Amino acid sequence: MTFPQTDSTTLKRLPKRGHYERETVYGILDEGFICHVGFAVEGRPVVIPTGYARVGDKLYIHGSQASRMLRALAAGVDVCVTVTLVDGLVLARSAFHHSINYRSVVVFGRANVVEDKDEKLAALFSFSEHVVRGRWNDVREPTEQELKATTVLSLPLVEASAKVRTGPPLDDEDDYSLSVWAGVIPLRLVADAPVNDPRLPEGIEVPEYATEYTRD
Ligand SMILES: Cc1cc2nc3c(=O)[nH]c(=O)nc-3n(C[C@H](O)[C@H](O)[C@H](O)COP(=O)(O)OP(=O)(O)OC[C@H]3O[C@@H](n4cnc5c(N)ncnc54)[C@H](O)[C@@H]3O)c2cc1C
């Protein structure tokens, strides 16, 4: 139920904000859908943003067979994946103590290519459902050709940590009497009204998963 703390995942800075329970880590992974994938190419670090989905104890990413990121990861290089959710801006009474409320996850590991066709399809289904639940059932499924052109990688979730900051600013005691506003500006991802594709034939209603989209 808990990720073991390793040398890599032990928080040195503000360790009380660290969390290793799978429930916390998975809650963050399931609310987000963009990660940053860090790896080395010819000795140089690269960090690439991409979508993902979690299924059980695996994180799936996918993309074109031609992608350098996917080819590098498929070769088995060490990878570090991060996901960040921003919950608020924390305005303190001093410039120094300003902060951000956030929930983030860092995962270390090595990815595997998903060769099995059923697992690949299931991963793509999960990916689609993770971003827009209900969408897969409405759309054309991938053809053999499209499946071949898509690489799916799975990253086992074995070495991971979460870090979470919540609450009001933490000011120096002397600063609490200053006559300056302090508090939190909460932030969240909110969908605006869907915009029809200009080539949409008349009579097709906007589905509820689009009009009511949320990530909570
Ligand atoms: C929100 C989001 C979701 C995405 N989802 C996916 C996904 O699910 N699958 C997928 O394959 N790709 C996705 N991408 C695109 C992804 O970031 C890469 O561009 C793509 O995977 C190609 O990777 P590559 O290593 O082959 O890039 P290359 O073209 O080999 O990268 C060469 C250089 O191009 C630049 N570059 C590449 N990508 C970016 C970028 N996104 N922003 C700025 N500069 C860049 C960098 O300098 C990089 O070193 C997503 C991007 C974003 C921002």
Side-chain angles (χ1 to χ4, degrees):
M1 300 308 284
T2 303
F3 286 104
Q5 283 189 49
T6 64
D7 283 351
S8 298
T9 60
T10 297
L11 272 86
K12 284 95 193 164
R13 188 82 190 98
L14 297 177
K16 64 174 190 296
R17 292 187 182 162
H19 297 266
Y20 297 90
E21 316 81 45
R22 281 185 189 262
E23 196 186 348
T24 306
V25 171
Y26 289 177
I28 295 167
L29 293 179
D30 293 349
E31 189 173 325
F33 60 101
I34 302 301
C35 63
H36 288 84
V37 179
F39 54 100
V41 176
E42 292 166 9
R44 205 169 176 205
V46 188
V47 179
I48 296 288
T50 196
Y52 70 89
R54 178 188 73 88
V55 180
D57 294 336
K58 289 178 183 170
L59 200 75
Y60 287 102
I61 63 172
H62 82 297
S64 156
Q65 257 189 357
S67 160
R68 176 184 65 176
M69 169 179 70
L70 291 165
R71 277 187 286 119
L73 266 53
V77 297
D78 284 318
V79 60
C80 177
V81 174
T82 69
V83 172
T84 307
L85 307 174
V86 176
D87 293 326
L89 303 177
V90 181
L91 276 60
R93 292 158 182 85
S94 65
F96 181 78
H97 284 299
H98 278 68
S99 189
I100 293 179
N101 281 341
Y102 63 87
R103 289 166 288 149
S104 54
V105 165
V106 174
V107 180
F108 294 95
R110 286 184 181 175
N112 306 301
V113 182
V114 176
E115 308 278 10
D116 179 78
K117 191 180 158 196
D118 290 342
E119 188 186 353
K120 197 169 176 179
L121 254 182
L124 294 173
F125 165 81
S126 304
F127 191 90
S128 174
E129 290 295 290
H130 178 60
V131 181
V132 186
R133 191 171 305 139
R135 185 63 179 163
W136 186 269
N137 279 341
D138 284 355
V139 298
R140 174 178 69 69
E141 286 200 14
T143 61
E144 285 290 330
Q145 189 60 30
E146 288 169 340
L147 270 183
K148 264 199 198 122
T150 306
T151 298
V152 176
L153 297 177
S154 76
L155 177 66
L157 293 165
V158 290
E159 194 177 8
S161 57
K163 191 171 178 183
V164 177
R165 189 209 188 275
T166 56
L170 297 172
D171 271 306
D172 291 342
E173 206 45 52
D174 287 351
D175 289 341
Y176 279 94
S177 56
L178 290 175
S179 173
V180 54
W181 186 84
V184 173
I185 304 172
L187 295 177
R188 65 197 169 100
L189 195 64
V190 178
D192 278 337
V195 179
N196 281 349
D197 183 316
R199 293 186 59 178
L200 193 74
E202 268 185 41
I204 298 182
E205 294 293 318
V206 186
E208 200 176 296
Y209 52 69
T211 54
E212 306 299 321
Y213 189 82
T214 69
R215 290 217 60 79
D216 299 337

